[in-house]
Amino acid sequence: MDWKTMMYNERFPKSNKYSPEFVAKNQMGPNSIWLMEWLTEKIEIKENMKVLDLGCGCAMSSIFLAKEFGAMVYATDLWIDVSENQKRIVEFGLEDKIIPIKAEAHALPFAKNFFDVIVAVDSYGYFGTDDLYLSYITSFLKSEGIIAAVLPGLMQDFDNFKVPKHLLKPQKNGNVFWEPDCFTFHTKDWWLSHWMKTTLVEVETCDTLEDGYKHWAIQEKALELAGFNIFPSVEETLLNDAGQYIGFARIIATKNKAKTEESMPHAWQPEFSAVCESLRNERDSRKKV
Ligand SMILES: C[S@@+](CC[C@H](N)C(=O)[O-])C[C@H]1O[C@@H](n2cnc3c(N)ncnc32)[C@H](O)[C@@H]1O
């Protein structure tokens, strides 16, 4: 099979409309358009809804959101140059629908209660494992807005917390699958507990992608054949694992109504220290009396 045929995937019909060259050239890991298609199968995105695509990489998933749903997308990323993303956005004639933004996920330049939907594909794991992150990110979400993420993750926990040997074994190309980015891989139930314990959101969906490893592996093969891969292929380990441990988790939640009127700044925001100072001053003036 040639690489372009491998990039055609019956499971993701909307994604098949995008040229294999465009998709292959702009990948930064697993196929972001396939994964965004999977994520949005369970989210109602209406025209002109304000959507934050957090950690959008080369903005392919943002282009998908604008083209398929007519959303207003804030394509936000740290590593990828905004002008490079703007070029891709213009190529698709979507400059009125997508705003590329370079920002760090803990210092976002948005107003509180601004977005209808916040999505993250293969990026949330880089910052969202922090227990304090959900309260920060949902502050930018409207009451009853949606927060959703797809994460490469574990299909089950490791026996006795030990990384299985086949994930640590060097492949024929010398690459070892289980490298530092994988340390953020978790099961869907880990994510469910991580979000539910905050009481900030109601989780609507928390599941895994059927045959996720197969979709990931076939793209690895295609990118390598086409010479578009930026990292050595991990196809060999994915096929050896056969979905026993490695795949994709999806989590979708609604922001609770009761949590929208928070007046306190988040602990990471500079305003937080001003609030602390005023509380200390108040306490000190009370003690003087
Ligand atoms: C593996 S890439 C995936 C990119 C894209 N979503 C995709 O699937 O092709 C992870 C992305 O997360 C973004 N990222 C990682 N840490 C971040 C942070 N602290 N703030 C904002 N973005 C971050 C990176 O800029 C990078 O583009």
Side-chain angles (χ1 to χ4, degrees):
M1 204 194 288
D2 72 285
W3 75 269
K4 286 186 190 171
T5 314
M6 288 177 190
M7 295 293 288
Y8 180 89
N9 191 329
E10 278 180 5
R11 170 63 184 81
F12 306 107
K14 288 181 179 163
S15 302
N16 290 332
K17 292 185 264 176
Y18 298 81
S19 94
E21 283 88 356
F22 168 73
V23 178
K25 211 165 73 186
N26 294 302
Q27 288 305 339
M28 295 176 69
N31 190 308
S32 59
I33 294 204
W34 293 349
L35 295 178
M36 186 56 89
E37 181 166 350
W38 180 45
L39 190 60
T40 52
E41 281 167 6
K42 293 263 183 179
I43 309 174
E44 198 187 344
I45 300 180
K46 297 192 188 129
E47 190 158 1
N48 291 327
M49 267 189 172
K50 289 195 232 110
V51 179
L52 169 58
D53 188 2
L54 186 56
C56 67
C58 296
M60 285 201 296
S61 51
S62 312
I63 289 169
F64 180 90
L65 289 165
K67 258 192 97 62
E68 302 302 320
F69 304 101
M72 269 304 305
V73 187
Y74 294 72
T76 304
D77 198 71
L78 183 64
W79 305 342
I80 301 298
D81 184 73
V82 266
S83 303
E84 291 302 313
N85 274 349
Q86 178 67 5
K87 275 191 212 155
R88 283 181 275 275
I89 292 163
V90 170
E91 245 176 69
F92 278 79
L94 290 170
E95 54 272 41
D96 294 338
K97 297 298 276 184
I98 308 176
I99 301 163
I101 294 161
K102 191 173 181 82
E104 206 287 322
H106 301 81
L108 296 172
F110 304 116
K112 298 229 157 153
N113 305 319
F114 183 74
F115 291 105
D116 298 290
V117 178
I118 297 176
V119 287
V121 163
D122 187 17
S123 57
Y124 198 80
Y126 289 91
F127 36 81
T129 52
D130 187 320
D131 287 340
L132 293 177
Y133 196 71
L134 193 71
S135 70
Y136 175 71
I137 192 63
T138 53
S139 70
F140 302 105
L141 199 56
K142 289 178 186 170
S143 170
E144 298 185 299
I146 302 287
I147 172 141
V150 171
L151 306 122
L154 297 182
M155 300 298 97
Q156 60 172 324
D157 280 317
F158 299 147
D159 273 351
N160 296 318
F161 312 108
K162 277 186 128 175
V163 182
K165 285 199 180 101
H166 68 278
L167 298 182
L168 294 166
K169 189 178 158 202
Q171 302 176 135
K172 287 191 193 84
N173 63 9
N175 192 29
V176 173
F177 180 90
W178 194 257
E179 42 100 53
D181 285 2
C182 301
F183 306 166
T184 66
F185 283 19
H186 294 287
T187 62
K188 70 173 173 49
D189 289 343
W190 187 93
W191 285 105
L192 184 62
S193 152
H194 187 54
W195 282 16
M196 277 185 66
K197 72 181 174 192
T198 65
T199 74
L200 296 171
V201 295
E202 281 314 312
V203 176
E204 317 287 349
T205 298
C206 183
D207 57 6
T208 57
L209 177 62
E210 197 180 344
D211 289 335
Y213 80 96
K214 284 189 187 163
H215 300 305
W216 189 350
I218 197 150
Q219 171 173 285
E220 290 288 299
K221 177 102 192 149
L223 294 192
E224 192 169 44
L225 284 176
F228 280 129
N229 54 324
I230 44 177
F231 306 112
S233 165
V234 289
E235 185 204 7
E236 185 182 320
T237 304
L238 288 170
L239 294 180
N240 281 340
D241 181 65
Q244 196 187 350
Y245 291 105
I246 305 299
F248 297 100
R250 166 174 72 173
I251 182 157
I252 303 174
T254 306
K255 179 176 173 176
N256 280 334
K257 217 173 187 171
K259 306 290 175 184
T260 50
E261 301 306 328
E262 302 282 353
S263 54
M264 192 75 176
H266 190 275
W268 297 336
Q269 292 176 308
E271 300 80 19
F272 189 79
S273 57
V275 172
C276 291
E277 198 179 334
S278 91
L279 287 172
R280 271 199 310 275
N281 289 342
E282 208 179 296
R283 188 260 332 258
D284 291 350
S285 62
R286 263 198 327 266
K287 286 190 90 178
K288 272 185 206 141
V289 180

